[in-house]
Amino acid sequence: MEHSVTVTTSVDRARVLAYRVAAQQLDRPDLAVEELAVLDVGVQDTPYGSAVLALAARSRLDCGDAGLVPIWSVRGAPHLHRPGDLPALAAALWPLSDADATARIATTNIKEGAKLGIAAFTAAAAAMRAVVTEPMPKGEVSTAVSARVPQSLTYWCRVCAAQHISGGLFQQVGVLAGVALDRSRRDTWLAPVPARPRIPAAAAGTADLVAAYLRLLGPATPAEAAKFLDTSQAAARPAWPGDLVEVSVDGRRTWLPEDRLDALLGATRPDVVRLLPPSDPYLQARDRDLLVPDPAKA
C-alpha cells in the first residue's frame, strides 16, 4: 500500500459540501445516465424507486430505463449499477481477509458462523449461484440456500418456524453470486445476471472502490470509508488507497484523492436546489455530523 501525501491544506464545512455537490454532479451536466459519477459506487435503491429519483436529480435525461442492473451489492443493500461494472464490483466487495468477512456478517444470530470468515462468503455465494438459474421468489431462494450452507450460518426463525440463512450474509453475496433483483414483479424475485462472471477467487480493486467513495464523499477518514463498506477500520486498512492528500476539515484530519484537491479548493456553493430521496448518494457520507451539525435535525 502506498503512503498518502501530506500537505498543509485546511478547508471548512461549507467548502466540503460545495465540493460534494459538484463531485456528485447535482448541477445536472449533459451526460447520459450511465455516465454519472455516482454509479462508480452504485446508487442505493432503498426504498424501491428512490434510485431513479436520485439519478433524475443529476440528469436532464429520462432515467426510467437506463439499462442499469438492480442488485444487492454494497453492505448487502439494493443498488443500481452499470452491467459492465459488475465483475469488478464483485471482486472489490469480496472480503479482504477472514477478519474482514467476520466484521461484515457478525450478528447475534450467527456468532459462530461469522467466525468462518471468507469460507462463509464462499459457501453462501456458491449456494446462491447454484440455486438461482432462473427467476425465483426470494423466499424460495432463501430456503434452498439455507439448506446448502453450513448450519452455523443459519438461525431458527420463530415466525417462519424454519432455519434461515443470516439475512446480512444472504444479501451481501448477491453481487458475488451474479444474482440480480427482478424488478418486473410485485414481490421480491431474484434472477441470474446475464453472462454472469465467476465467483471471485480473491478480493481485487477494493482500494479503487474506496477511492471512488472518497472522490464523491471526501474528504473523509479511514473509519468513514470502512463504515461505507460495513466493516472495521482495521479490516479495511489494506484497501486504503495511495495517492491521497491530507486535508484538515475544521480541524479534523481527513483524506482526498490528490487529483481532486484543486476541485475541492475551488469549490463554491452552487446556485441550485435539489430535492433528494432517501438513501441518495449525497446522504451516504458517514460523517453525518458534517452534513447536519445539529443532532436535533439529523
Side-chain angles (χ1 to χ4, degrees):
M1 181 177 69
E2 299 179 48
H3 294 288
S4 300
V5 177
T6 302
V7 298
T8 305
T9 301
S10 298
V11 296
D12 60 12
R13 168 181 174 270
R15 181 84 62 180
V16 171
L17 295 184
Y19 166 79
R20 291 180 185 176
V21 168
Q24 295 207 13
Q25 299 167 318
L26 285 164
D27 53 345
R28 287 185 178 164
D30 290 321
L31 294 175
V33 173
E34 62 271 18
E35 296 178 284
L36 293 175
V38 289
L39 287 168
D40 292 347
V41 297
V43 179
Q44 188 168 334
D45 199 24
T46 310
Y48 171 55
S50 62
V52 172
L53 297 177
L55 293 170
R58 294 163 170 81
S59 175
R60 297 186 180 90
L61 304 178
D62 180 16
C63 301
D65 182 12
L68 303 175
V69 177
I71 195 167
W72 288 325
S73 61
V74 186
R75 302 178 303 281
H79 285 70
L80 293 184
H81 289 280
R82 306 179 189 99
D85 290 348
L86 295 182
L89 178 66
L93 290 178
W94 190 259
L96 297 159
S97 63
D98 285 330
D100 182 25
T102 296
R104 296 192 196 196
I105 61 174
T107 67
T108 56
N109 288 334
I110 59 163
K111 278 187 176 181
E112 290 303 312
K115 295 177 183 178
L116 293 176
I118 290 177
F121 279 79
T122 301
M128 183 179 287
R129 186 183 181 89
V131 167
V132 183
T133 58
E134 61 183 6
M136 294 176 61
K138 175 187 173 184
E140 290 184 15
V141 176
S142 176
T143 298
V145 170
S146 298
R148 285 173 172 259
V149 299
Q151 188 172 5
S152 62
L153 298 178
T154 67
Y155 68 99
W156 180 254
C157 176
R158 292 182 180 180
V159 176
C160 300
Q163 200 75 13
H164 282 320
I165 184 172
S166 163
L169 175 60
F170 181 66
Q171 294 193 193
Q172 285 190 66
V173 300
V175 67
L176 308 179
V179 172
L181 295 161
D182 184 348
R183 293 301 200 189
S184 67
R185 307 167 192 269
R186 178 174 298 180
D187 299 328
T188 302
W189 281 53
L190 304 177
V193 173
R196 58 183 174 178
R198 295 179 179 178
I199 295 171
T206 312
D208 294 334
L209 182 61
V210 173
Y213 172 83
L214 294 174
R215 285 196 302 272
L216 293 166
L217 289 163
T221 67
E224 289 157 2
K227 287 181 180 178
F228 171 72
L229 294 174
D230 200 21
T231 189
S232 68
Q233 182 176 343
R237 187 172 294 118
W240 188 240
D243 299 324
L244 303 180
V245 291
E246 184 177 326
V247 179
S248 174
V249 179
D250 291 334
R252 188 171 62 100
R253 294 180 68 195
T254 64
W255 284 263
L256 185 75
E258 187 175 14
D259 61 2
R260 299 299 297 158
L261 182 59
D262 287 346
L264 171 66
L265 297 179
T268 57
R269 182 176 178 176
D271 186 21
V272 299
V273 174
R274 297 285 181 261
L275 299 179
L276 304 180
S279 302
D280 186 89
Y282 187 78
L283 306 177
Q284 294 295 329
R286 270 37 197 174
D287 53 353
R288 298 303 296 270
D289 56 335
L290 183 76
L291 184 62
V292 185
D294 185 351
K297 298 179 180 179

mmCIF file of all heavy atoms in Angstrom, residues 55-94:
data_model
loop_
_atom_site.group_PDB
_atom_site.id
_atom_site.type_symbol
_atom_site.label_atom_id
_atom_site.label_comp_id
_atom_site.label_asym_id
_atom_site.label_seq_id
_atom_site.Cartn_x
_atom_site.Cartn_y
_atom_site.Cartn_z
ATOM 1 N N LEU A 55 -31.032 9.619 -9.589
ATOM 2 C CA LEU A 55 -30.441 9.836 -10.910
ATOM 3 C C LEU A 55 -31.087 11.038 -11.601
ATOM 4 O O LEU A 55 -30.413 11.817 -12.273
ATOM 5 C CB LEU A 55 -30.602 8.577 -11.753
ATOM 6 C CG LEU A 55 -29.795 7.361 -11.280
ATOM 7 C CD1 LEU A 55 -30.216 6.116 -12.050
ATOM 8 C CD2 LEU A 55 -28.301 7.603 -11.432
ATOM 9 N N ALA A 56 -32.392 11.190 -11.427
ATOM 10 C CA ALA A 56 -33.102 12.311 -12.051
ATOM 11 C C ALA A 56 -32.623 13.652 -11.494
ATOM 12 O O ALA A 56 -32.663 14.666 -12.189
ATOM 13 C CB ALA A 56 -34.606 12.162 -11.831
ATOM 14 N N ALA A 57 -32.149 13.651 -10.242
ATOM 15 C CA ALA A 57 -31.626 14.884 -9.647
ATOM 16 C C ALA A 57 -30.308 15.294 -10.277
ATOM 17 O O ALA A 57 -29.841 16.424 -10.088
ATOM 18 C CB ALA A 57 -31.440 14.695 -8.140
ATOM 19 N N ARG A 58 -29.693 14.388 -11.039
ATOM 20 C CA ARG A 58 -28.371 14.630 -11.613
ATOM 21 C C ARG A 58 -28.359 14.641 -13.136
ATOM 22 O O ARG A 58 -27.302 14.815 -13.743
ATOM 23 C CB ARG A 58 -27.403 13.551 -11.104
ATOM 24 C CG ARG A 58 -27.166 13.635 -9.609
ATOM 25 C CD ARG A 58 -26.559 12.361 -9.053
ATOM 26 N NE ARG A 58 -26.126 12.548 -7.676
ATOM 27 C CZ ARG A 58 -26.949 12.485 -6.630
ATOM 28 N NH1 ARG A 58 -28.236 12.218 -6.803
ATOM 29 N NH2 ARG A 58 -26.489 12.690 -5.411
ATOM 30 N N SER A 59 -29.484 14.402 -13.767
ATOM 31 C CA SER A 59 -29.513 14.324 -15.226
ATOM 32 C C SER A 59 -30.796 14.944 -15.758
ATOM 33 O O SER A 59 -31.853 14.838 -15.132
ATOM 34 C CB SER A 59 -29.427 12.859 -15.670
ATOM 35 O OG SER A 59 -29.564 12.754 -17.070
ATOM 36 N N ARG A 60 -30.695 15.559 -16.914
ATOM 37 C CA ARG A 60 -31.882 16.101 -17.569
ATOM 38 C C ARG A 60 -32.562 15.051 -18.435
ATOM 39 O O ARG A 60 -33.638 15.280 -18.972
ATOM 40 C CB ARG A 60 -31.478 17.283 -18.464
ATOM 41 C CG ARG A 60 -30.879 18.469 -17.727
ATOM 42 C CD ARG A 60 -30.646 19.627 -18.683
ATOM 43 N NE ARG A 60 -30.069 20.791 -18.016
ATOM 44 C CZ ARG A 60 -28.762 21.001 -17.889
ATOM 45 N NH1 ARG A 60 -27.920 20.138 -18.396
ATOM 46 N NH2 ARG A 60 -28.320 22.076 -17.281
ATOM 47 N N LEU A 61 -31.931 13.886 -18.558
ATOM 48 C CA LEU A 61 -32.442 12.850 -19.445
ATOM 49 C C LEU A 61 -33.364 11.897 -18.716
ATOM 50 O O LEU A 61 -33.398 11.839 -17.486
ATOM 51 C CB LEU A 61 -31.265 12.082 -20.064
ATOM 52 C CG LEU A 61 -30.250 12.950 -20.813
ATOM 53 C CD1 LEU A 61 -29.120 12.088 -21.338
ATOM 54 C CD2 LEU A 61 -30.925 13.696 -21.954
ATOM 55 N N ASP A 62 -34.112 11.115 -19.466
ATOM 56 C CA ASP A 62 -35.034 10.142 -18.891
ATOM 57 C C ASP A 62 -34.248 9.074 -18.142
ATOM 58 O O ASP A 62 -33.364 8.424 -18.703
ATOM 59 C CB ASP A 62 -35.860 9.491 -20.008
ATOM 60 C CG ASP A 62 -36.844 8.470 -19.468
ATOM 61 O OD1 ASP A 62 -37.112 8.481 -18.255
ATOM 62 O OD2 ASP A 62 -37.344 7.661 -20.273
ATOM 63 N N CYS A 63 -34.568 8.891 -16.863
ATOM 64 C CA CYS A 63 -33.849 7.920 -16.040
ATOM 65 C C CYS A 63 -34.662 6.652 -15.816
ATOM 66 O O CYS A 63 -34.249 5.773 -15.058
ATOM 67 C CB CYS A 63 -33.514 8.533 -14.678
ATOM 68 S SG CYS A 63 -32.515 10.023 -14.780
ATOM 69 N N GLY A 64 -35.806 6.548 -16.437
ATOM 70 C CA GLY A 64 -36.677 5.414 -16.169
ATOM 71 C C GLY A 64 -36.084 4.079 -16.553
ATOM 72 O O GLY A 64 -36.237 3.091 -15.846
ATOM 73 N N ASP A 65 -35.373 4.004 -17.668
ATOM 74 C CA ASP A 65 -34.795 2.745 -18.104
ATOM 75 C C ASP A 65 -33.433 3.021 -18.724
ATOM 76 O O ASP A 65 -33.301 3.220 -19.921
ATOM 77 C CB ASP A 65 -35.711 2.042 -19.106
ATOM 78 C CG ASP A 65 -35.169 0.691 -19.547
ATOM 79 O OD1 ASP A 65 -34.210 0.217 -18.910
ATOM 80 O OD2 ASP A 65 -35.704 0.128 -20.522
ATOM 81 N N ALA A 66 -32.422 3.019 -17.894
ATOM 82 C CA ALA A 66 -31.074 3.332 -18.358
ATOM 83 C C ALA A 66 -30.246 2.065 -18.546
ATOM 84 O O ALA A 66 -29.026 2.147 -18.693
ATOM 85 C CB ALA A 66 -30.384 4.258 -17.359
ATOM 86 N N GLY A 67 -30.877 0.911 -18.516
ATOM 87 C CA GLY A 67 -30.150 -0.336 -18.681
ATOM 88 C C GLY A 67 -29.321 -0.717 -17.481
ATOM 89 O O GLY A 67 -28.394 -1.535 -17.583
ATOM 90 N N LEU A 68 -29.617 -0.127 -16.320
ATOM 91 C CA LEU A 68 -28.862 -0.424 -15.105
ATOM 92 C C LEU A 68 -29.403 -1.697 -14.443
ATOM 93 O O LEU A 68 -30.564 -2.063 -14.620
ATOM 94 C CB LEU A 68 -28.942 0.753 -14.137
ATOM 95 C CG LEU A 68 -28.450 2.092 -14.704
ATOM 96 C CD1 LEU A 68 -28.694 3.211 -13.706
ATOM 97 C CD2 LEU A 68 -26.972 2.016 -15.074
ATOM 98 N N VAL A 69 -28.549 -2.349 -13.662
ATOM 99 C CA VAL A 69 -28.916 -3.613 -13.029
ATOM 100 C C VAL A 69 -29.208 -3.389 -11.550
ATOM 101 O O VAL A 69 -28.349 -2.879 -10.821
ATOM 102 C CB VAL A 69 -27.786 -4.643 -13.176
ATOM 103 C CG1 VAL A 69 -28.147 -5.942 -12.459
ATOM 104 C CG2 VAL A 69 -27.490 -4.913 -14.644
ATOM 105 N N PRO A 70 -30.410 -3.759 -11.073
ATOM 106 C CA PRO A 70 -30.687 -3.699 -9.636
ATOM 107 C C PRO A 70 -30.132 -4.964 -8.969
ATOM 108 O O PRO A 70 -30.461 -6.086 -9.370
ATOM 109 C CB PRO A 70 -32.214 -3.658 -9.572
ATOM 110 C CG PRO A 70 -32.656 -4.372 -10.820
ATOM 111 C CD PRO A 70 -31.591 -4.165 -11.857
ATOM 112 N N ILE A 71 -29.284 -4.782 -7.973
ATOM 113 C CA ILE A 71 -28.616 -5.936 -7.377
ATOM 114 C C ILE A 71 -28.203 -5.617 -5.945
ATOM 115 O O ILE A 71 -27.935 -4.456 -5.616
ATOM 116 C CB ILE A 71 -27.372 -6.318 -8.236
ATOM 117 C CG1 ILE A 71 -26.854 -7.714 -7.892
ATOM 118 C CG2 ILE A 71 -26.297 -5.267 -8.136
ATOM 119 C CD1 ILE A 71 -25.841 -8.231 -8.917
ATOM 120 N N TRP A 72 -28.196 -6.616 -5.083
ATOM 121 C CA TRP A 72 -27.664 -6.424 -3.732
ATOM 122 C C TRP A 72 -26.154 -6.298 -3.837
ATOM 123 O O TRP A 72 -25.473 -7.195 -4.319
ATOM 124 C CB TRP A 72 -28.001 -7.629 -2.857
ATOM 125 C CG TRP A 72 -29.449 -7.734 -2.466
ATOM 126 C CD1 TRP A 72 -30.310 -6.712 -2.188
ATOM 127 C CD2 TRP A 72 -30.201 -8.939 -2.287
ATOM 128 N NE1 TRP A 72 -31.545 -7.198 -1.853
ATOM 129 C CE2 TRP A 72 -31.506 -8.565 -1.896
ATOM 130 C CE3 TRP A 72 -29.897 -10.300 -2.410
ATOM 131 C CZ2 TRP A 72 -32.511 -9.505 -1.634
ATOM 132 C CZ3 TRP A 72 -30.892 -11.233 -2.147
ATOM 133 C CH2 TRP A 72 -32.187 -10.835 -1.759
ATOM 134 N N SER A 73 -25.604 -5.197 -3.373
ATOM 135 C CA SER A 73 -24.158 -5.004 -3.520
ATOM 136 C C SER A 73 -23.544 -4.446 -2.242
ATOM 137 O O SER A 73 -23.380 -5.190 -1.274
ATOM 138 C CB SER A 73 -23.861 -4.121 -4.738
ATOM 139 O OG SER A 73 -24.434 -2.830 -4.601
ATOM 140 N N VAL A 74 -23.206 -3.158 -2.218
ATOM 141 C CA VAL A 74 -22.512 -2.577 -1.079
ATOM 142 C C VAL A 74 -23.368 -2.705 0.179
ATOM 143 O O VAL A 74 -24.537 -2.322 0.204
ATOM 144 C CB VAL A 74 -22.184 -1.091 -1.338
ATOM 145 C CG1 VAL A 74 -21.327 -0.534 -0.201
ATOM 146 C CG2 VAL A 74 -21.475 -0.927 -2.675
ATOM 147 N N ARG A 75 -22.793 -3.307 1.225
ATOM 148 C CA ARG A 75 -23.461 -3.555 2.508
ATOM 149 C C ARG A 75 -24.674 -4.478 2.356
ATOM 150 O O ARG A 75 -25.517 -4.545 3.252
ATOM 151 C CB ARG A 75 -23.882 -2.236 3.183
ATOM 152 C CG ARG A 75 -22.730 -1.269 3.455
ATOM 153 C CD ARG A 75 -23.237 0.020 4.075
ATOM 154 N NE ARG A 75 -24.231 0.672 3.233
ATOM 155 C CZ ARG A 75 -23.956 1.405 2.168
ATOM 156 N NH1 ARG A 75 -22.706 1.611 1.805
ATOM 157 N NH2 ARG A 75 -24.920 1.949 1.453
ATOM 158 N N GLY A 76 -24.813 -5.131 1.225
ATOM 159 C CA GLY A 76 -25.956 -6.004 1.006
ATOM 160 C C GLY A 76 -27.226 -5.252 0.668
ATOM 161 O O GLY A 76 -28.301 -5.851 0.572
ATOM 162 N N ALA A 77 -27.120 -3.953 0.443
ATOM 163 C CA ALA A 77 -28.294 -3.138 0.123
ATOM 164 C C ALA A 77 -28.547 -3.149 -1.383
ATOM 165 O O ALA A 77 -27.612 -3.287 -2.174
ATOM 166 C CB ALA A 77 -28.086 -1.701 0.602
ATOM 167 N N PRO A 78 -29.809 -2.997 -1.801
ATOM 168 C CA PRO A 78 -30.085 -2.940 -3.244
ATOM 169 C C PRO A 78 -29.545 -1.648 -3.845
ATOM 170 O O PRO A 78 -29.768 -0.566 -3.315
ATOM 171 C CB PRO A 78 -31.618 -2.991 -3.312
ATOM 172 C CG PRO A 78 -32.085 -2.496 -1.979
ATOM 173 C CD PRO A 78 -31.035 -2.912 -0.996
ATOM 174 N N HIS A 79 -28.826 -1.790 -4.946
ATOM 175 C CA HIS A 79 -28.254 -0.656 -5.663
ATOM 176 C C HIS A 79 -28.491 -0.832 -7.159
ATOM 177 O O HIS A 79 -28.700 -1.959 -7.628
ATOM 178 C CB HIS A 79 -26.735 -0.568 -5.452
ATOM 179 C CG HIS A 79 -26.305 -0.053 -4.126
ATOM 180 N ND1 HIS A 79 -26.461 -0.768 -2.951
ATOM 181 C CD2 HIS A 79 -25.678 1.107 -3.779
ATOM 182 C CE1 HIS A 79 -25.959 -0.066 -1.941
ATOM 183 N NE2 HIS A 79 -25.480 1.067 -2.421
ATOM 184 N N LEU A 80 -28.423 0.265 -7.882
ATOM 185 C CA LEU A 80 -28.383 0.216 -9.332
ATOM 186 C C LEU A 80 -26.929 0.351 -9.768
ATOM 187 O O LEU A 80 -26.205 1.224 -9.274
ATOM 188 C CB LEU A 80 -29.212 1.342 -9.959
ATOM 189 C CG LEU A 80 -30.730 1.284 -9.768
ATOM 190 C CD1 LEU A 80 -31.396 2.427 -10.537
ATOM 191 C CD2 LEU A 80 -31.299 -0.056 -10.190
ATOM 192 N N HIS A 81 -26.510 -0.519 -10.716
ATOM 193 C CA HIS A 81 -25.145 -0.498 -11.214
ATOM 194 C C HIS A 81 -25.140 -0.647 -12.730
ATOM 195 O O HIS A 81 -26.072 -1.209 -13.317
ATOM 196 C CB HIS A 81 -24.322 -1.648 -10.618
ATOM 197 C CG HIS A 81 -24.010 -1.490 -9.168
ATOM 198 N ND1 HIS A 81 -22.985 -0.690 -8.702
ATOM 199 C CD2 HIS A 81 -24.589 -2.047 -8.063
ATOM 200 C CE1 HIS A 81 -22.942 -0.759 -7.384
ATOM 201 N NE2 HIS A 81 -23.899 -1.566 -6.976
ATOM 202 N N ARG A 82 -24.079 -0.172 -13.354
ATOM 203 C CA ARG A 82 -23.864 -0.432 -14.775
ATOM 204 C C ARG A 82 -23.583 -1.936 -14.951
ATOM 205 O O ARG A 82 -22.797 -2.508 -14.178
ATOM 206 C CB ARG A 82 -22.672 0.359 -15.299
ATOM 207 C CG ARG A 82 -22.726 1.862 -15.050
ATOM 208 C CD ARG A 82 -21.458 2.502 -15.600
ATOM 209 N NE ARG A 82 -21.318 3.910 -15.232
ATOM 210 C CZ ARG A 82 -20.563 4.355 -14.220
ATOM 211 N NH1 ARG A 82 -19.890 3.498 -13.476
ATOM 212 N NH2 ARG A 82 -20.495 5.651 -13.958
ATOM 213 N N PRO A 83 -24.162 -2.570 -15.948
ATOM 214 C CA PRO A 83 -23.916 -4.009 -16.147
ATOM 215 C C PRO A 83 -22.435 -4.343 -16.283
ATOM 216 O O PRO A 83 -21.957 -5.332 -15.724
ATOM 217 C CB PRO A 83 -24.681 -4.324 -17.436
ATOM 218 C CG PRO A 83 -25.722 -3.274 -17.540
ATOM 219 C CD PRO A 83 -25.132 -2.038 -16.932
ATOM 220 N N GLY A 84 -21.703 -3.505 -17.006
ATOM 221 C CA GLY A 84 -20.298 -3.783 -17.232
ATOM 222 C C GLY A 84 -19.426 -3.654 -16.003
ATOM 223 O O GLY A 84 -18.275 -4.114 -15.998
ATOM 224 N N ASP A 85 -19.954 -3.022 -14.938
ATOM 225 C CA ASP A 85 -19.174 -2.836 -13.709
ATOM 226 C C ASP A 85 -19.264 -4.034 -12.772
ATOM 227 O O ASP A 85 -18.495 -4.110 -11.797
ATOM 228 C CB ASP A 85 -19.669 -1.597 -12.952
ATOM 229 C CG ASP A 85 -19.329 -0.295 -13.661
ATOM 230 O OD1 ASP A 85 -18.524 -0.336 -14.616
ATOM 231 O OD2 ASP A 85 -19.878 0.753 -13.256
ATOM 232 N N LEU A 86 -20.194 -4.951 -13.008
ATOM 233 C CA LEU A 86 -20.482 -5.993 -12.022
ATOM 234 C C LEU A 86 -19.308 -6.929 -11.736
ATOM 235 O O LEU A 86 -19.070 -7.263 -10.564
ATOM 236 C CB LEU A 86 -21.715 -6.789 -12.448
ATOM 237 C CG LEU A 86 -23.027 -5.985 -12.467
ATOM 238 C CD1 LEU A 86 -24.187 -6.892 -12.852
ATOM 239 C CD2 LEU A 86 -23.290 -5.338 -11.109
ATOM 240 N N PRO A 87 -18.541 -7.389 -12.733
ATOM 241 C CA PRO A 87 -17.411 -8.265 -12.399
ATOM 242 C C PRO A 87 -16.396 -7.604 -11.471
ATOM 243 O O PRO A 87 -15.966 -8.196 -10.472
ATOM 244 C CB PRO A 87 -16.808 -8.595 -13.766
ATOM 245 C CG PRO A 87 -17.938 -8.432 -14.730
ATOM 246 C CD PRO A 87 -18.727 -7.274 -14.199
ATOM 247 N N ALA A 88 -16.007 -6.359 -11.797
ATOM 248 C CA ALA A 88 -15.035 -5.652 -10.961
ATOM 249 C C ALA A 88 -15.628 -5.328 -9.594
ATOM 250 O O ALA A 88 -14.930 -5.386 -8.570
ATOM 251 C CB ALA A 88 -14.571 -4.370 -11.650
ATOM 252 N N LEU A 89 -16.911 -5.001 -9.562
ATOM 253 C CA LEU A 89 -17.566 -4.692 -8.298
ATOM 254 C C LEU A 89 -17.573 -5.908 -7.380
ATOM 255 O O LEU A 89 -17.317 -5.795 -6.174
ATOM 256 C CB LEU A 89 -18.997 -4.215 -8.551
ATOM 257 C CG LEU A 89 -19.829 -3.897 -7.311
ATOM 258 C CD1 LEU A 89 -19.262 -2.688 -6.571
ATOM 259 C CD2 LEU A 89 -21.286 -3.647 -7.690
ATOM 260 N N ALA A 90 -17.887 -7.078 -7.933
ATOM 261 C CA ALA A 90 -17.897 -8.300 -7.129
ATOM 262 C C ALA A 90 -16.525 -8.553 -6.518
ATOM 263 O O ALA A 90 -16.414 -8.887 -5.325
ATOM 264 C CB ALA A 90 -18.338 -9.483 -7.987
ATOM 265 N N ALA A 91 -15.472 -8.376 -7.307
ATOM 266 C CA ALA A 91 -14.120 -8.592 -6.783
ATOM 267 C C ALA A 91 -13.781 -7.564 -5.707
ATOM 268 O O ALA A 91 -13.139 -7.881 -4.701
ATOM 269 C CB ALA A 91 -13.106 -8.526 -7.920
ATOM 270 N N ALA A 92 -14.229 -6.316 -5.899
ATOM 271 C CA ALA A 92 -13.947 -5.264 -4.923
ATOM 272 C C ALA A 92 -14.685 -5.490 -3.612
ATOM 273 O O ALA A 92 -14.209 -5.067 -2.550
ATOM 274 C CB ALA A 92 -14.312 -3.900 -5.499
ATOM 275 N N LEU A 93 -15.841 -6.151 -3.677
ATOM 276 C CA LEU A 93 -16.637 -6.386 -2.474
ATOM 277 C C LEU A 93 -16.342 -7.733 -1.826
ATOM 278 O O LEU A 93 -16.898 -8.040 -0.774
ATOM 279 C CB LEU A 93 -18.132 -6.282 -2.804
ATOM 280 C CG LEU A 93 -18.619 -4.875 -3.136
ATOM 281 C CD1 LEU A 93 -20.103 -4.899 -3.501
ATOM 282 C CD2 LEU A 93 -18.391 -3.921 -1.955
ATOM 283 N N TRP A 94 -15.487 -8.537 -2.455
ATOM 284 C CA TRP A 94 -15.085 -9.788 -1.821
ATOM 285 C C TRP A 94 -14.268 -9.446 -0.573
ATOM 286 O O TRP A 94 -13.446 -8.530 -0.591
ATOM 287 C CB TRP A 94 -14.262 -10.630 -2.789
ATOM 288 C CG TRP A 94 -14.015 -12.027 -2.289
ATOM 289 C CD1 TRP A 94 -12.878 -12.496 -1.705
ATOM 290 C CD2 TRP A 94 -14.939 -13.111 -2.298
ATOM 291 N NE1 TRP A 94 -13.031 -13.819 -1.360
ATOM 292 C CE2 TRP A 94 -14.297 -14.226 -1.712
ATOM 293 C CE3 TRP A 94 -16.257 -13.253 -2.748
ATOM 294 C CZ2 TRP A 94 -14.920 -15.465 -1.556
ATOM 295 C CZ3 TRP A 94 -16.879 -14.487 -2.601
ATOM 296 C CH2 TRP A 94 -16.208 -15.576 -2.017
#
